[in-house]
Amino acid sequence: MANDKRVKQSGMNSISFAGNITLNITFSIYAIVCIFPLLLVLAVSLSDEADIVDYGYRIIPKSISLISYQFILSSGDKILSAYGYTIVSTIAGTILALLITSSLAYPLSRKSFKYRNKFAFYVYFTMLFNGGMVPLYIVYTQIIPLKNSIYALIIPNLVSGFYVLLMRTYFSQNISDSIVESAEIDGASTFRIFFTMVLPLAKPVLATVGLFTAMGYWNNYFRNLLFVYDDRVMNLQYLLFRMQSEIEVMNTDPQLIVELGKYIPQETSRMAMVILTIGPIIFLYPFLQRYFIKGLTIGSVKG
């Protein structure tokens, strides 16, 4: 019988080892597939425009050229100003969005709140229907005068119904009623319980929602296009969008090309813009990784 156990154990170990090797190989290939497009974009941004026309996209540039970066960075103060508006709107918007979303989601998760189902349906209803672009424009330019200000880049995206319901699910599954009740017995107020007990226990969902919210603010150019007409108030995405449009216009005007004395690189400039926009935000993920994986399992079945 002891020999049978050893044989069975060795068989299980061999299966486990083979499974680990298979998983490692599979996820290594998947990681390469995910990273390869980013490396290709970087390589194209460092390539010469003529090489792109002659040889196509290459992971190893035929010749290194920084003309695209020089052209984009030649705007100088505009780039720095756009980075400033983008960073400020992203940080302020993410913090305010997390505060408002969690403040709304927490009472919806408490069984003691009598009207929680009605308010939850109201939040859910906003995910199905919205007023459309014209009412949105009227509200944020006429009723709430946010036109041509940085507030127009922050306030319209503060609350998402999906994130509210996501946080409500996490609070209801992971914040025990006994913890809240014990704090209330000790005389803690609702605000103290929320800020000193609930939010520290909700770091995974806060990190997950915060990362997605920050990416939304960082990549959003439509709010700038819709609400801001002042060239002094531009975020990074909208500035690069305008620069790309200007490059296309300039390259279709032969007289302008003669005056400039050169053809503005279009393909490599587009890729350089991608690198400039994803560079800062991509470093945010490592700081939130420890909470991000756990936050993605919100709502999973518990055994």
Side-chain angles (χ1 to χ4, degrees):
M1 183 174 293
N3 291 332
D4 293 339
K5 288 183 178 179
R6 292 195 188 97
V7 171
K8 186 181 295 185
Q9 185 67 30
S10 61
M12 293 177 61
N13 291 337
S14 61
I15 294 175
S16 177
F17 178 76
N20 288 334
I21 293 296
T22 303
L23 287 175
N24 288 331
I25 294 175
T26 302
F27 283 105
S28 297
I29 295 174
Y30 182 74
I32 293 173
V33 171
C34 293
I35 296 174
F36 180 80
L38 180 60
L39 296 177
L40 182 62
V41 168
L42 178 61
V44 173
S45 70
L46 296 173
S47 300
D48 188 85
E49 185 80 6
D51 293 338
I52 299 298
V53 175
D54 295 336
Y55 305 104
Y57 293 168
R58 299 168 60 94
I59 192 65
I60 300 178
K62 191 78 173 177
S63 59
I64 301 295
S65 175
L66 299 177
I67 295 178
S68 299
Y69 290 97
Q70 292 173 356
F71 173 76
I72 296 173
L73 297 177
S74 63
S75 55
D77 294 340
K78 286 187 177 181
I79 287 286
L80 294 177
S81 176
Y83 261 110
Y85 278 110
T86 302
I87 292 173
V88 170
S89 63
T90 299
I91 295 176
T94 301
I95 294 175
L96 289 175
L98 287 177
L99 180 61
I100 296 174
T101 302
S102 59
S103 299
L104 176 57
Y106 175 66
L108 295 181
S109 67
R110 296 296 91 195
K111 297 179 181 178
S112 58
F113 182 39
K114 183 178 179 180
Y115 302 103
R116 67 191 186 103
N117 291 330
K118 294 181 180 180
F119 279 95
F121 176 77
Y122 175 79
V123 173
Y124 174 71
F125 188 81
T126 62
M127 297 171 57
L128 302 178
F129 302 97
N130 60 70
M133 187 185 303
V134 174
L136 183 71
Y137 177 82
I138 294 174
V139 168
Y140 287 110
T141 58
Q142 306 298 326
I143 300 176
I144 307 176
L146 299 179
K147 185 168 61 176
N148 291 332
S149 69
I150 191 174
Y151 301 108
L153 306 178
I154 298 175
I155 294 178
N157 296 334
L158 280 180
V159 181
S160 168
F162 174 74
Y163 294 150
V164 171
L165 297 180
L166 190 69
M167 280 196 179
R168 185 196 69 162
T169 302
Y170 184 90
F171 287 147
S172 61
Q173 291 185 354
N174 295 274
I175 308 299
S176 174
D177 292 335
S178 60
I179 297 177
V180 178
E181 291 172 357
S182 63
E184 291 176 346
I185 293 173
D186 291 337
S189 64
T190 302
F191 286 101
R192 184 174 182 181
I193 293 172
F194 178 69
F195 285 105
T196 62
M197 297 184 63
V198 175
L199 291 185
L201 293 174
K203 288 181 180 178
V205 70
L206 292 175
T208 303
V209 174
L211 179 61
F212 288 137
T213 302
M215 291 177 62
Y217 274 106
W218 186 271
N219 294 321
N220 189 7
Y221 78 94
F222 184 71
R223 297 288 184 243
N224 205 144
L225 177 65
L226 190 62
F227 300 125
V228 180
Y229 311 113
D230 190 346
D231 290 343
R232 294 172 298 178
V233 183
M234 284 193 296
N235 61 10
L236 183 63
Q237 298 289 346
Y238 181 64
L239 175 63
L240 296 181
F241 169 77
R242 284 188 53 175
M243 292 180 65
Q244 183 62 37
S245 301
E246 292 172 359
I247 291 173
E248 294 177 359
V249 172
M250 287 188 293
N251 286 336
T252 56
D253 190 343
Q255 183 178 355
L256 187 58
I257 295 177
V258 173
E259 292 177 358
L260 293 174
K262 60 181 178 180
Y263 178 84
I264 305 300
Q266 184 170 332
E267 291 297 324
T268 56
S269 295
R270 183 182 292 114
M271 299 304 176
M273 292 176 187
V274 173
I275 295 299
L276 289 175
T277 54
I278 69 173
I281 197 67
I282 203 172
F283 293 106
L284 182 63
Y285 178 77
F287 296 101
L288 302 177
Q289 184 178 7
R290 55 181 297 192
Y291 303 111
F292 184 70
I293 302 300
K294 186 177 180 180
L296 288 178
T297 62
I298 298 170
S300 61
V301 179
K302 292 186 176 181

